[in-house]
Amino acid sequence: MAVVTAVALIVEAAGIALLNWILGLVVDRQRMSLGGLDPDAMSIGTWVAGGLFGLYLLLCGLVLLRAAVRDRAPGRLARILLITCAVGHGLVGAFSVGLVGWTAFAVLMVVLGLIVWSLLVYDESPVAAESGAAPGATGAQGGDAPRPA
């Protein structure tokens, strides 16, 4: 599951970078301006933003690819990175419904689901798996723990 998600994020990173590069070229060649902003600043800002967002998605994809190769859960910082990526996909998906349409929303929600699924696949801790207890379970397993009144 993590490999599929990693591939989806890497493809999405390339698509976002390419889209922003094309948009920057359009703004630059047409000398468009929005609210009196310099067209050169707008095109450079589009290229920088697209590059940074593409690198962010590429990093998320590489984190998932590393987790898949090692067959271990990502570390704390890597999980935070993936959670921010999932939240970002949810927000962009919500905005994309009105701006782009339901197809873009569906694609973003599929990638969101893949990210969340990849995070949940590695959720079980090795100690809980060996003892047969549910993840996060503590206390006695024989039923001899006192019950609250």
Side-chain angles (χ1 to χ4, degrees), residues 49-101:
L52 289 175
F53 194 49
L55 286 174
Y56 170 71
L57 291 172
L58 182 65
L59 178 64
C60 292
L62 292 175
V63 163
L64 280 169
L65 196 59
R66 182 175 181 220
V69 168
R70 293 174 53 199
D71 197 27
R72 287 186 23 205
R76 183 180 304 239
L77 289 176
R79 288 181 71 84
I80 291 171
L81 179 75
L82 293 173
I83 290 169
T84 62
C85 187
V87 169
H89 273 80
L91 290 173
V92 172
F95 290 130
S96 72
V97 172
L99 298 173
V100 182

Side-chain angles (χ1 to χ4, degrees), residues 28-50:
D28 191 43
R29 290 190 179 153
Q30 302 240 342
R31 304 300 299 167
M32 293 179 181
S33 178
L34 182 66
L37 292 175
D38 181 31
D40 291 329
M42 289 177 58
S43 62
I44 290 171
T46 301
W47 290 328
V48 169

